[in-house]
Every structure is written in structure tokens, then in C-alpha cells.
Amino acid sequence: MEINEKFLYHIWDQRHLLPELFTVSGKPVKIIYQGQYNTSNGPDFRHAVINVGGETLQGDVEIHQKTYDWTAHQHQEDFAYNQTILHVVLEHKGNSAFTVREDAQEIEILELKNQIDGNIAKLFQDYTSNPDLQSYGLCDFGELSSDEQLIILLRENSWERFLRKGNRFNAELQFSSFDQLLYTGFMEAMGYDKNKFNTLSIAYHYPWELLTKWRQEGMDAITLAAIWLNYSGLPYQKSKLLSAELKADLEKAFELQTWSIDKAKLQWNLFRIRPANHPLRRLLQAAYVITPLADKGFLSTLLPAFEKAELSKMNKFIRSLYDVLTPRPSNYREIGQPGLNLILTLTGNIILPIVYLYAAKVNNPTLQNKTGEMYIRFPHLNENYITKFMRNELALPKRSSIFNSYAQQQGLMNLYYKYCNYHLCELCLAERQKLLQNM
């Protein structure tokens, strides 16, 4: 049985594995959180939490068919893979029981060959023996469902995706705090797809606890921006995006501060970046957002907006969050502010599931139920390539009135990552039928 790499992603993501797993070196493996499928450059799954040999690790997971694919793809020379904690392969061939990263650290190898659930092995046999299941034609999903059924199916998939995000954040809490989760989520969003790995790396290098300490010692926004820019390696001194006054103030702030002179080897993607989305501007904006939040705490600053929110006035709630997350630097107009769409994306993907998790942790059912209802009522965002693909693939363009909320968009995203991305049409339709029978 020759399983392709995309199908391996599905096996890992849905945990179609034996209850007891062991690495090539013989260490037991317990998957606490399998990670988030990565649609950009870098490892296949991000933010995984895995116990290997009794030690709980947090980081990334890379998946290959063969162990030597790591070298064939030159990951051993790519610092972007230095957060990888487990190398998952279908088949291991080689003398070493470990994979070596660019930073010379050894990581364990998990061979799936004899550790895949038997049912998924049968499913793949059906998948490979039936060309119709691998076709790229329009899907029957939409045509087989009435509007009422489709709304229910999307709602169930949307809620599943929402809870999966919560599970991810809950797993990360073993190494983190609610403030750090919100901070890293914000910084990742500020990098967009092209540079989110770099902005996320900055958040990990300068954790929330450290920033709050520096803030208590007198650090201001321009100083934080100067520290970040020095670390990032972005040549702001020669940039035409910044005024001579701002450049001089950044240099002066960096020279006077005593907190950090660290530099990193970050590789920025600046090709065809619009000036408004340039990482120079994004890091400056982020510094002016984060600095005042460090006074009271990220979560503590956001919670009053949730407590005061009226479910019938979601636009007012969104405006209150927007005001908190978009302070305008009074001295430097060229810095600008994060856009409304970014704040909406951050709220839907990060803030809502984290506040929902927080409410569960502190046993506040009122806040938890309110946050869940906010998720259902949250307005739809601009379409991305996945939602556009899904609407066309499921033959749904004529039923656009159904997709009027963020939650329904998330339902489409869940279907894509769970089934469509792997062309698991038979399994998708079977799950659909099962769900409709239980309605």
C-alpha cells in the first residue's frame, strides 16, 4: 500500500493511529494536540503538543513518506524547521533513529508504517482502487442537501472547528498563559501569510512576561519597536516608508535602552508587498498596540468589551475591540493602524475561542455561552481562496444567501481541511449522511 503525503496529513490530523505509539528509538508517544495544519511555508503542522518518552514538548511536526525526504527537501539547512519536535514518516530507512535540524538538535522519528489504524488502511485501499474518488470534478455535497440541511451541516462543522481551536489553545496553556496566547495570535496575524512565521518568532523570542517586566521598568512603544526592528534585521534606516524623524527616534531609542541587543536570521518575504502591509509598518503598529496592553494585561483589557456587549449589537462590540487594538501613534502618521479586516480575522480566529476557553476554565457559563453566541452571530469576513474554492467545488454559488456569517465560512473551512484537501469524497458523504440521519 503506497500512501501519498497528503493522505498522511489526514491520518495525522484526524489521529487515525494506534492507541500506543512508539518512536524509531523506542520511546512512547502520546499526542496531546496534533497541531494546526500549515497552509504556508514551513513545517506541515504548527503548535503541536506531544509527550515523547515522558517529556511534553511544544512545537512543529513535519510529515514525509520517507525519512530521507527531510534531507532531500533540505530542511536540515532551513532555520524555519528548528521548532520541529517530531519527524513523522510513513517508512523509516536509515542508520540513525533521529533527524537532525539546522540548529544541530536531534529530534525523534515516528514511523507510521505499522502504527496506522486498520480502518484507515482499508479506506485508503478503496480510495486508490476507485479513480472516481480522486476526481477533481464538482462535488455532490451541495446538490444532495437542501438549504435547511446545508445550514445544519455547516453549523456542525463550524462548531467542530471552533472547538478544535480551543483544544489547541488549551494544549498550549501547559507552556503559556492567556495573555501570551493572545499576544502570539496577534503577532502571527500581523505577519499575514507571507511573513507570519517571522512575526510569530518575535513573539516567542520576546514573550509576554518579559514585555510586561520591561514595561514596568519604563519601556515605551518606540523603544519596543526599535528592539523588534533590530532583532528582525529589517533595514529600516534606508526605508522610504519612514520619515527621517521616525528613523532618528528609532535609532536614539535603541541606543538608550538596555534591555536587548539580540539579532536573528529572519528571512523576510518582501516581494510584491504593498506599502500598507510591509512588515516594517506592521511591527511598528504592533508595538503601539502591545505596549499599552502590557500595563493591564491583554485578556484583562479585552474582557470588559465582552461583559458589556449586547448580542443584538455586534457592530458596537466589534467597534469596541477595534478601538482597543488600533491606537494611533500621535507623532508618526506614517505608521498607520491595523485594518478592520485584520481585527475581524483576529477576533474570529483567536480572541473568541480563547475567551470561550477562559470562561470554561474559570467556570463562568454566562460568559462562555455569550462568547459562543457571539461566534454564531459574528459577521462574515472577506473570502479567501479556500472559501471561494469550496463554494465553487460544492456547486453553491447560487445559494450565496446561506453564507452570511463567519461561522458558516468556518464550516466550509472545516470541510476543506477535513475532507476536500485530501479528496476523501466517500468519507465526507458518509459522514454527511450519518449526521442527517441523527437530525
Side-chain angles (χ1 to χ4, degrees):
M1 177 176 64
E2 184 177 350
I3 297 179
N4 61 46
E5 199 163 284
K6 274 201 168 185
F7 197 77
L8 285 177
Y9 298 161
H10 176 74
I11 290 172
W12 177 260
D13 193 33
Q14 298 298 315
R15 303 197 197 187
H16 291 302
L17 305 168
L18 297 179
E20 295 185 356
L21 301 171
F22 295 91
T23 65
V24 172
S25 69
K27 291 184 178 180
V29 175
K30 181 180 179 182
I31 303 169
I32 301 171
Y33 173 63
Q34 74 275 18
Q36 182 181 22
Y37 180 62
N38 181 22
T39 59
S40 187
N41 297 329
D44 298 315
F45 287 83
R46 306 289 301 280
H47 312 299
V49 180
I50 302 170
N51 188 289
V52 180
E55 181 182 4
T56 301
L57 307 173
Q58 181 186 31
D60 304 331
V61 173
E62 179 67 5
I63 298 177
H64 289 130
Q65 289 181 303
K66 310 286 185 182
T67 312
Y68 58 72
D69 288 340
W70 178 276
T71 305
H73 298 169
Q74 297 186 325
H75 297 332
Q76 80 282 5
E77 299 179 4
D78 192 341
F79 77 96
Y81 290 80
N82 284 347
Q83 300 301 316
T84 305
I85 57 174
L86 187 66
H87 187 198
V88 178
V89 301
L90 177 63
E91 186 175 8
H92 173 67
K93 289 184 178 179
N95 297 325
S96 176
F98 304 94
T99 290
V100 181
R101 304 185 313 201
E102 185 269 346
D103 60 0
Q105 293 295 311
E106 292 183 337
I107 57 174
E108 296 281 346
I109 300 170
L110 178 67
E111 184 183 34
L112 300 182
K113 185 177 180 180
N114 297 314
Q115 302 189 88
I116 298 175
D117 183 275
N119 294 330
I120 207 70
K122 181 180 184 305
L123 173 65
F124 188 77
Q125 283 183 329
D126 295 340
Y127 167 79
T128 52
S129 63
N130 188 346
D132 292 337
L133 296 180
Q134 302 174 56
S135 68
Y136 287 80
L138 291 178
C139 173
D140 294 334
F141 189 94
E143 295 296 332
L144 293 174
S145 306
S146 67
D147 286 3
E148 180 184 2
Q149 291 173 333
L150 192 56
I151 289 173
I152 293 173
L153 290 166
L154 289 176
R155 184 179 64 198
E156 292 296 322
N157 275 277
S158 172
W159 197 244
E160 178 182 331
R161 182 168 169 81
F162 184 78
L163 294 178
R164 280 167 64 89
K165 288 179 182 179
N167 290 338
R168 164 198 158 185
F169 293 130
N170 189 40
E172 290 186 19
L173 277 176
Q174 296 187 58
F175 308 90
S176 189
S177 65
F178 282 106
D179 283 337
Q180 179 70 30
L181 291 178
L182 289 164
Y183 166 50
T184 53
F186 172 76
M187 291 296 287
E188 184 175 6
M190 291 297 284
Y192 291 84
D193 282 342
K194 288 188 175 181
N195 290 299
K196 65 182 181 181
F197 176 80
N198 289 344
T199 50
L200 186 62
S201 297
I202 291 172
Y204 283 134
H205 188 78
Y206 297 106
W208 184 262
E209 185 177 2
L210 183 63
L211 296 190
T212 56
K213 177 178 179 293
W214 288 353
R215 179 64 174 159
Q216 292 170 1
E217 295 170 353
M219 180 192 68
D220 57 10
I222 193 71
T223 303
L224 177 59
I227 291 172
W228 281 351
L229 290 175
N230 178 74
Y231 178 78
S232 73
L234 286 167
Y236 69 88
Q237 295 90 343
K238 298 180 181 180
S239 174
K240 296 180 180 179
L241 297 173
L242 309 183
S243 66
E245 179 190 5
L246 177 52
K247 293 176 188 176
D249 288 350
L250 284 167
E251 290 186 4
K252 182 179 179 181
F254 186 75
E255 290 173 1
L256 293 176
Q257 62 86 27
T258 58
W259 290 296
S260 174
I261 57 172
D262 295 352
K263 281 185 177 290
K265 298 185 297 181
L266 301 181
Q267 298 175 359
W268 296 91
N269 185 348
L270 304 179
F271 182 65
R272 290 183 177 177
I273 290 284
R274 294 192 300 117
N277 295 335
H278 197 284
L280 271 177
R281 276 209 174 108
R282 291 304 178 195
L283 286 178
L284 285 161
Q285 291 170 4
Y288 275 88
V289 172
I290 292 301
T291 303
L293 291 175
D295 290 331
K296 186 178 179 181
F298 209 137
L299 180 62
S300 296
T301 304
L302 297 182
L303 283 179
F306 281 82
E307 293 165 354
K308 297 175 183 177
E310 300 177 47
L311 294 176
S312 60
K313 298 179 179 180
M314 286 297 292
N315 287 337
K316 185 177 180 181
F317 164 72
I318 292 168
R319 171 54 62 181
S320 66
L321 284 185
Y322 182 78
D323 290 342
V324 169
L325 298 172
T326 58
R328 179 178 291 277
S330 57
N331 298 333
Y332 315 105
R333 295 184 62 184
E334 69 265 37
I335 293 179
Q337 298 168 287
L340 176 60
N341 193 60
L342 185 144
I343 300 303
L344 288 172
T345 302
L346 175 70
T347 302
N349 290 342
I350 306 294
I351 295 177
L352 287 176
I354 287 178
V355 173
Y356 185 88
L357 174 63
Y358 166 79
K361 290 283 188 181
V362 299
N363 194 26
N364 187 338
T366 301
L367 178 60
Q368 187 176 22
N369 293 335
K370 189 177 188 179
T371 307
E373 186 62 31
M374 285 178 165
Y375 171 68
I376 300 299
R377 295 174 180 237
F378 203 70
H380 67 87
L381 305 182
N382 294 339
E383 286 208 302
N384 57 33
Y385 75 94
I386 293 178
T387 56
K388 289 179 181 178
F389 166 82
M390 291 295 288
R391 281 159 59 89
N392 291 326
E393 188 75 4
L394 304 184
L396 299 174
K398 296 180 181 180
R399 301 160 78 174
S400 59
S401 60
I402 293 176
F403 307 102
N404 58 5
S405 74
Y406 172 77
Q408 288 161 346
Q409 288 178 314
Q410 291 296 295
L412 283 179
M413 298 277 286
N414 196 61
L415 284 171
Y416 174 83
Y417 285 121
K418 194 174 180 180
Y419 303 115
C420 306
N421 192 39
Y422 314 108
H423 305 292
L424 301 178
C425 306
E426 186 178 66
L427 181 60
C428 175
L429 291 174
E431 290 291 334
R432 166 195 168 278
Q433 189 62 33
K434 181 180 178 181
L435 180 61
L436 292 178
Q437 287 175 351
N438 295 328
M439 285 172 51

